Amino acid sequence: MEEKKNGWQDGADAPITRIKPGKGKKPSSASQMEALKKCAEMAADEIIDMLKDKSQFMRHIFQEKSSGEIREAELKTRNVRHLRDVISAIRELTDVVRGLYGLLPPEAESERCMTLKKLEIEEKKIAPPDKPEQETGVVLLPQPEDGNA
């Protein structure tokens, strides 16, 4: 009484064939970095162009409750939310550019400088003096002539 294999087991005894991916040319990391740097520069240019508009932060967008219509109005008060969004975008872009160019934030850079200075001081303390000193700092007293000393 042999039972017949059903479903997924039918091809279990078949040989496994593997498909090798084509050998396409991978972009080099240097060209990828250059493309990312160019994108960061373009984003910075867009932010600068946007900030040239003097009334940029005076515009507010409203949606009317009754009709659902969205309209834009220029008021005398500043749109603080939009200002925060722009500042956040500038901070993020700054972090991206620092990462692309391998730069440290100012806080980390000053901490790094302080650590290097401390290391130099420690090395000076540990390092032997450049020229040997002839004086040891020990004063040899002459032997007393009589035995009363």
Side-chain angles (χ1 to χ4, degrees), residues 25-39:
K25 185 177 180 183
K26 292 183 180 179
S28 68
S29 61
S31 64
Q32 287 176 342
M33 287 298 288
E34 288 302 318
L36 289 173
K37 288 177 182 178
K38 187 172 184 174
C39 288

Side-chain angles (χ1 to χ4, degrees), residues 34-90:
E34 288 302 318
L36 289 173
K37 288 177 182 178
K38 187 172 184 174
C39 288
E41 289 174 9
M42 289 171 47
D45 290 340
E46 287 298 318
I47 290 174
I48 290 170
D49 288 344
M50 181 186 71
L51 292 175
K52 287 179 182 176
D53 184 7
K54 298 293 181 189
S55 61
Q56 177 71 29
F57 299 109
M58 304 301 269
R59 291 192 199 103
H60 298 264
I61 298 175
F62 297 101
Q63 182 176 12
E64 295 196 21
K65 289 184 180 180
S66 60
S67 65
E69 179 184 347
I70 297 175
R71 62 186 182 97
E72 183 178 307
E74 193 170 312
L75 303 176
K76 291 182 181 179
T77 60
R78 301 220 184 271
N79 187 345
V80 178
R81 179 180 293 164
H82 182 60
L83 181 62
R84 273 190 249 137
D85 291 343
V86 170
I87 290 170
S88 172
I90 291 171

Side-chain angles (χ1 to χ4, degrees), residues 86-99:
V86 170
I87 290 170
S88 172
I90 291 171
R91 283 184 184 145
E92 290 174 10
L93 182 62
T94 302
D95 291 341
V96 167
V97 170
R98 282 187 185 134

